[in-house]
Amino acid sequence: MTDEHSVQAHYRAVGLLDRIVAGLREAGKDPGAPTVDDLAPADEFHSAGRHATKDLAALAALKPGTRVLDVGSGLGGPARFLAATYSCDVTGIDLMPEFCTVATELSRLTRLTERTRFRQGNALALPFDEGTFDCVWTIQTQMNIAEKRQFYGEITRVLRPGGQFVFQDICAGNGQPLDFPVPWASEAGQSHLIPPEDLQRLLGALGLKEHAFRDVSASILAWQDANPPPAGTPPPLGMHLVLGERHAEKRTNSGRALRDGRVRYIQGVFLKPE
Protein backbone atom coordinates (compact mmCIF):
# COMPACT_ATOMS: atom_id res chain seq x y z
CA MET A 1 0.00 0.00 0.00
CA THR A 2 1.10 3.58 -0.64
CA ASP A 3 1.90 5.37 2.62
CA GLU A 4 0.13 8.71 2.18
CA HIS A 5 1.87 10.30 5.17
CA SER A 6 5.30 9.21 3.95
CA VAL A 7 4.69 10.76 0.54
CA GLN A 8 3.43 13.97 2.13
CA ALA A 9 6.54 14.11 4.31
CA HIS A 10 8.74 13.86 1.21
CA TYR A 11 7.02 16.76 -0.57
CA ARG A 12 6.34 18.99 2.42
CA ALA A 13 7.56 22.55 1.83
CA VAL A 14 6.91 25.29 4.37
CA GLY A 15 6.67 28.91 3.23
CA LEU A 16 6.69 28.00 -0.45
CA LEU A 17 4.49 30.87 -1.65
CA ASP A 18 6.63 33.46 0.14
CA ARG A 19 9.75 32.03 -1.49
CA ILE A 20 8.17 32.14 -4.95
CA VAL A 21 7.04 35.76 -4.44
CA ALA A 22 10.52 36.70 -3.23
CA GLY A 23 12.02 34.90 -6.23
CA LEU A 24 9.80 36.83 -8.64
CA ARG A 25 10.86 40.09 -7.06
CA GLU A 26 14.55 39.14 -7.18
CA ALA A 27 14.18 38.12 -10.85
CA GLY A 28 12.78 41.55 -11.69
CA LYS A 29 9.21 40.32 -12.22
CA ASP A 30 6.07 41.91 -10.80
CA PRO A 31 5.10 39.62 -7.89
CA GLY A 32 1.58 41.08 -7.92
CA ALA A 33 0.91 40.23 -11.55
CA PRO A 34 3.29 37.56 -12.84
CA THR A 35 2.73 35.93 -16.20
CA VAL A 36 2.44 32.19 -16.75
CA ASP A 37 5.91 32.30 -18.30
CA ASP A 38 7.35 34.20 -15.32
CA LEU A 39 6.32 31.36 -13.02
CA ALA A 40 7.40 28.47 -15.25
CA PRO A 41 10.87 27.94 -13.70
CA ALA A 42 9.24 27.23 -10.32
CA ASP A 43 5.74 25.86 -10.98
CA GLU A 44 6.53 23.32 -13.74
CA PHE A 45 7.67 20.76 -11.17
CA HIS A 46 8.69 17.85 -13.42
CA SER A 47 11.50 16.75 -15.74
CA ALA A 48 12.12 19.20 -18.61
CA GLY A 49 9.58 21.61 -17.13
CA ARG A 50 7.68 23.82 -19.58
CA HIS A 51 9.42 22.12 -22.51
CA ALA A 52 7.79 18.79 -21.58
CA THR A 53 4.41 20.41 -20.91
CA LYS A 54 4.38 21.97 -24.37
CA ASP A 55 5.43 18.68 -25.95
CA LEU A 56 2.70 16.74 -24.19
CA ALA A 57 0.02 19.34 -24.92
CA ALA A 58 0.90 19.25 -28.62
CA LEU A 59 0.59 15.45 -28.56
CA ALA A 60 -2.86 15.77 -26.95
CA ALA A 61 -4.08 18.40 -29.46
CA LEU A 62 -6.44 19.90 -26.88
CA LYS A 63 -9.32 22.09 -28.04
CA PRO A 64 -10.73 25.26 -26.42
CA GLY A 65 -13.23 24.51 -23.69
CA THR A 66 -11.86 21.02 -22.96
CA ARG A 67 -12.63 19.98 -19.38
CA VAL A 68 -9.29 18.74 -18.02
CA LEU A 69 -8.49 17.01 -14.74
CA ASP A 70 -4.81 17.35 -13.79
CA VAL A 71 -4.02 14.52 -11.35
CA GLY A 72 -1.02 15.44 -9.23
CA SER A 73 -1.30 19.10 -10.21
CA GLY A 74 1.47 20.36 -7.92
CA LEU A 75 1.81 24.14 -8.02
CA GLY A 76 -0.48 24.37 -11.04
CA GLY A 77 2.00 25.30 -13.76
CA PRO A 78 0.74 22.86 -16.42
CA ALA A 79 -2.89 23.67 -15.54
CA ARG A 80 -2.31 27.38 -16.06
CA PHE A 81 -0.43 26.72 -19.29
CA LEU A 82 -3.33 24.66 -20.66
CA ALA A 83 -5.82 27.33 -19.57
CA ALA A 84 -3.82 30.25 -21.00
CA THR A 85 -2.61 28.59 -24.22
CA TYR A 86 -5.44 26.21 -25.15
CA SER A 87 -8.39 27.88 -23.33
CA CYS A 88 -9.05 24.68 -21.39
CA ASP A 89 -11.05 24.51 -18.16
CA VAL A 90 -8.72 22.77 -15.71
CA THR A 91 -9.34 21.20 -12.31
CA GLY A 92 -6.25 20.15 -10.40
CA ILE A 93 -6.07 17.65 -7.56
CA ASP A 94 -3.03 17.00 -5.40
CA LEU A 95 -2.22 15.15 -2.19
CA MET A 96 -0.35 18.14 -0.74
CA PRO A 97 -2.57 20.84 0.84
CA GLU A 98 0.13 23.51 0.57
CA PHE A 99 0.62 22.82 -3.13
CA CYS A 100 -3.10 23.41 -3.69
CA THR A 101 -3.05 26.62 -1.64
CA VAL A 102 -0.05 27.94 -3.57
CA ALA A 103 -1.54 26.88 -6.92
CA THR A 104 -4.79 28.70 -6.13
CA GLU A 105 -2.96 31.91 -5.23
CA LEU A 106 -0.71 31.76 -8.31
CA SER A 107 -3.81 31.38 -10.49
CA ARG A 108 -5.29 34.43 -8.79
CA LEU A 109 -2.14 36.43 -9.47
CA THR A 110 -2.12 35.36 -13.14
CA ARG A 111 -5.85 36.14 -13.54
CA LEU A 112 -6.72 32.51 -14.31
CA THR A 113 -9.09 31.68 -11.46
CA GLU A 114 -12.07 31.31 -13.82
CA ARG A 115 -10.35 28.57 -15.82
CA THR A 116 -8.31 26.80 -13.11
CA ARG A 117 -9.15 25.49 -9.66
CA PHE A 118 -7.31 23.20 -7.23
CA ARG A 119 -8.36 20.90 -4.43
CA GLN A 120 -6.59 18.55 -2.06
CA GLY A 121 -7.38 14.88 -2.53
CA ASN A 122 -6.10 11.36 -3.04
CA ALA A 123 -5.73 10.09 -6.61
CA LEU A 124 -6.84 6.63 -5.45
CA ALA A 125 -10.32 8.00 -4.64
CA LEU A 126 -10.99 10.89 -6.99
CA PRO A 127 -13.87 13.06 -5.65
CA PHE A 128 -15.63 13.35 -9.01
CA ASP A 129 -18.54 11.63 -10.72
CA GLU A 130 -18.10 9.10 -13.48
CA GLY A 131 -17.49 10.65 -16.91
CA THR A 132 -16.91 14.20 -15.63
CA PHE A 133 -13.88 15.14 -17.75
CA ASP A 134 -13.03 15.29 -21.45
CA CYS A 135 -9.35 14.77 -20.65
CA VAL A 136 -7.43 13.45 -17.68
CA TRP A 137 -3.84 14.69 -17.65
CA THR A 138 -1.00 13.68 -15.36
CA ILE A 139 2.72 14.40 -15.34
CA GLN A 140 4.99 12.26 -13.16
CA THR A 141 2.57 11.33 -10.40
CA GLN A 142 2.21 7.54 -10.40
CA MET A 143 5.83 6.93 -9.29
CA ASN A 144 4.68 7.37 -5.66
CA ILE A 145 1.69 5.04 -6.02
CA ALA A 146 1.92 1.29 -5.56
CA GLU A 147 -1.73 0.64 -6.38
CA LYS A 148 -1.43 1.19 -10.13
CA ARG A 149 -4.68 -0.53 -11.11
CA GLN A 150 -6.67 1.55 -8.63
CA PHE A 151 -4.93 4.76 -9.75
CA TYR A 152 -5.56 4.21 -13.45
CA GLY A 153 -8.99 2.76 -12.74
CA GLU A 154 -10.03 6.01 -11.08
CA ILE A 155 -8.69 7.98 -14.03
CA THR A 156 -10.70 5.78 -16.41
CA ARG A 157 -13.84 6.17 -14.28
CA VAL A 158 -13.92 9.98 -14.31
CA LEU A 159 -13.08 10.18 -18.02
CA ARG A 160 -16.08 10.56 -20.32
CA PRO A 161 -16.61 8.08 -23.18
CA GLY A 162 -14.59 9.39 -26.10
CA GLY A 163 -12.27 11.31 -23.78
CA GLN A 164 -8.52 10.97 -23.61
CA PHE A 165 -5.99 10.15 -20.92
CA VAL A 166 -2.74 12.08 -21.48
CA PHE A 167 0.41 11.48 -19.46
CA GLN A 168 4.16 11.79 -19.04
CA ASP A 169 5.61 9.40 -16.48
CA ILE A 170 8.81 7.86 -15.25
CA CYS A 171 8.96 4.08 -15.63
CA ALA A 172 11.42 1.40 -14.62
CA GLY A 173 14.34 0.84 -16.96
CA ASN A 174 16.99 -1.87 -16.92
CA GLY A 175 16.15 -3.18 -13.46
CA GLN A 176 19.15 -1.65 -11.69
CA PRO A 177 18.35 0.08 -8.36
CA LEU A 178 18.14 3.83 -8.02
CA ASP A 179 20.29 6.03 -5.83
CA PHE A 180 18.21 8.02 -3.34
CA PRO A 181 17.05 10.68 -2.85
CA VAL A 182 15.47 11.55 -6.20
CA PRO A 183 12.91 14.32 -6.82
CA TRP A 184 9.95 11.98 -6.23
CA ALA A 185 11.28 9.92 -3.32
CA SER A 186 13.59 10.28 -0.35
CA GLU A 187 13.93 6.51 0.04
CA ALA A 188 13.19 3.32 -1.89
CA GLY A 189 9.90 2.66 -0.08
CA GLN A 190 8.39 5.81 -1.60
CA SER A 191 9.20 4.91 -5.22
CA HIS A 192 7.01 2.50 -7.20
CA LEU A 193 8.17 2.28 -10.81
CA ILE A 194 6.89 -0.26 -13.33
CA PRO A 195 8.25 -1.11 -16.78
CA PRO A 196 6.63 0.74 -19.72
CA GLU A 197 5.32 -2.54 -21.11
CA ASP A 198 3.44 -3.25 -17.87
CA LEU A 199 1.92 0.24 -17.94
CA GLN A 200 0.86 -0.25 -21.55
CA ARG A 201 -0.79 -3.59 -20.76
CA LEU A 202 -2.55 -2.24 -17.66
CA LEU A 203 -4.13 0.66 -19.55
CA GLY A 204 -5.34 -1.75 -22.21
CA ALA A 205 -6.77 -4.10 -19.57
CA LEU A 206 -8.78 -1.17 -18.19
CA GLY A 207 -10.40 -0.73 -21.60
CA LEU A 208 -8.41 2.28 -22.83
CA LYS A 209 -7.31 2.30 -26.48
CA GLU A 210 -3.77 3.33 -27.33
CA HIS A 211 -3.46 6.40 -29.54
CA ALA A 212 0.17 7.27 -28.77
CA PHE A 213 2.82 5.64 -26.58
CA ARG A 214 6.37 6.91 -26.99
CA ASP A 215 9.66 6.75 -25.14
CA VAL A 216 10.93 10.31 -24.74
CA SER A 217 13.97 9.43 -22.60
CA ALA A 218 16.44 10.69 -25.23
CA SER A 219 14.72 14.06 -25.58
CA ILE A 220 14.46 14.52 -21.80
CA LEU A 221 18.15 13.67 -21.46
CA ALA A 222 19.06 16.11 -24.24
CA TRP A 223 17.06 18.84 -22.49
CA GLN A 224 18.78 18.10 -19.18
CA ASP A 225 22.20 18.23 -20.83
CA ALA A 226 21.34 21.58 -22.39
CA ASN A 227 19.94 22.94 -19.10
CA PRO A 228 22.17 21.70 -16.27
CA PRO A 229 21.52 22.89 -12.72
CA PRO A 230 23.53 26.09 -12.18
CA ALA A 231 26.68 25.82 -10.12
CA GLY A 232 26.84 27.82 -6.92
CA THR A 233 23.88 29.89 -5.77
CA PRO A 234 20.58 28.77 -7.35
CA PRO A 235 18.61 31.27 -9.46
CA PRO A 236 15.75 33.20 -7.86
CA LEU A 237 13.17 30.80 -9.31
CA GLY A 238 13.64 27.11 -9.93
CA MET A 239 12.79 23.56 -8.90
CA HIS A 240 15.04 23.96 -5.85
CA LEU A 241 12.24 25.93 -4.17
CA VAL A 242 10.16 22.74 -4.08
CA LEU A 243 12.93 20.13 -3.89
CA GLY A 244 14.41 21.62 -0.73
CA GLU A 245 17.91 21.58 0.71
CA ARG A 246 18.96 18.35 -1.06
CA HIS A 247 17.79 19.60 -4.47
CA ALA A 248 21.17 19.20 -6.15
CA GLU A 249 21.58 15.62 -4.91
CA LYS A 250 18.05 14.69 -5.99
CA ARG A 251 18.53 16.05 -9.49
CA THR A 252 21.98 14.49 -9.86
CA ASN A 253 20.68 11.06 -8.86
CA SER A 254 17.69 11.35 -11.16
CA GLY A 255 19.79 12.49 -14.11
CA ARG A 256 22.28 9.69 -13.61
CA ALA A 257 19.47 7.12 -13.47
CA LEU A 258 18.19 8.35 -16.82
CA ARG A 259 21.63 8.37 -18.40
CA ASP A 260 22.33 4.84 -17.11
CA GLY A 261 19.01 3.49 -18.37
CA ARG A 262 17.64 2.77 -14.90
CA VAL A 263 14.55 4.87 -15.66
CA ARG A 264 12.64 5.61 -18.85
CA TYR A 265 10.36 8.52 -19.63
CA ILE A 266 7.11 7.73 -21.43
CA GLN A 267 4.45 9.98 -22.94
CA GLY A 268 1.11 8.60 -23.99
CA VAL A 269 -2.43 9.31 -25.11
CA PHE A 270 -5.12 6.67 -24.55
CA LEU A 271 -8.78 6.97 -25.50
CA LYS A 272 -11.84 5.78 -23.62
CA PRO A 273 -14.18 4.06 -26.10
CA GLU A 274 -17.53 5.74 -26.81
Side-chain angles (χ1 to χ4, degrees):
M1 294 288 290
T2 296
D3 185 338
E4 181 176 325
H5 298 294
S6 175
V7 173
Q8 287 179 323
H10 170 75
Y11 287 108
R12 186 166 293 120
V14 178
L16 186 53
L17 179 61
D18 289 342
R19 294 201 299 275
I20 291 174
V21 169
L24 286 166
R25 188 176 292 110
E26 185 180 345
K29 311 295 183 180
D30 181 356
T35 68
V36 170
D37 290 339
D38 290 341
L39 291 170
D43 69 2
E44 293 271 7
F45 179 49
H46 53 265
S47 303
R50 174 61 57 78
H51 170 82
T53 299
K54 287 182 175 179
D55 196 34
L56 191 59
L59 181 65
L62 297 170
K63 296 179 173 58
T66 299
R67 297 167 300 167
V68 178
L69 174 64
D70 183 356
V71 180
S73 50
L75 304 185
R80 282 185 290 276
F81 175 80
L82 296 181
T85 306
Y86 290 87
S87 297
C88 294
D89 182 88
V90 189
T91 298
I93 186 165
D94 199 277
L95 188 63
M96 298 298 297
E98 185 178 16
F99 285 5
C100 297
T101 299
V102 173
T104 298
E105 176 61 11
L106 294 181
S107 281
R108 186 189 71 80
L109 293 174
T110 52
R111 314 299 191 262
L112 286 169
T113 54
E114 291 187 3
R115 280 182 278 170
T116 62
R117 65 212 57 84
F118 305 91
R119 60 187 294 180
Q120 192 275 337
N122 192 318
L124 297 177
L126 293 173
F128 307 105
D129 292 336
E130 182 176 339
T132 299
F133 298 96
D134 304 312
C135 173
V136 179
W137 162 290
T138 184
I139 300 184
Q140 294 173 211
T141 296
Q142 60 80 31
M143 303 98 64
N144 291 121
I145 297 173
E147 301 88 344
K148 306 295 185 190
R149 178 173 286 273
Q150 186 174 347
F151 173 71
Y152 291 113
E154 278 292 276
I155 285 172
T156 302
R157 180 183 65 80
V158 302
L159 189 61
R160 70 162 175 82
Q164 60 178 347
F165 171 45
V166 181
F167 64 90
Q168 174 175 297
D169 259 312
I170 302 176
C171 290
N174 57 22
Q176 296 301 310
L178 303 181
D179 300 316
F180 292 94
V182 289
W184 66 91
S186 299
E187 56 191 37
Q190 297 168 338
S191 180
H192 304 282
L193 305 186
I194 60 172
E197 298 78 11
D198 289 357
L199 172 56
Q200 197 172 23
R201 280 192 292 269
L202 175 55
L203 295 177
L206 290 168
L208 299 178
K209 303 300 181 183
E210 182 179 324
H211 176 70
F213 192 84
R214 64 188 190 186
D215 189 321
V216 294
S217 302
S219 63
I220 296 287
L221 181 59
W223 184 91
Q224 290 182 355
D225 286 344
N227 298 272
T233 303
L237 293 170
M239 287 179 62
H240 61 279
L241 296 179
V242 184
L243 290 176
E245 292 181 358
R246 301 179 71 182
H247 63 90
E249 185 181 4
K250 291 175 181 178
R251 294 186 67 178
T252 297
N253 288 341
S254 176
R256 186 167 58 246
L258 174 58
R259 189 175 301 281
D260 294 347
R262 287 180 280 173
V263 297
R264 293 166 64 186
Y265 285 76
I266 303 295
Q267 290 182 350
V269 176
F270 281 69
L271 308 179
K272 185 173 181 178
E274 304 240 16

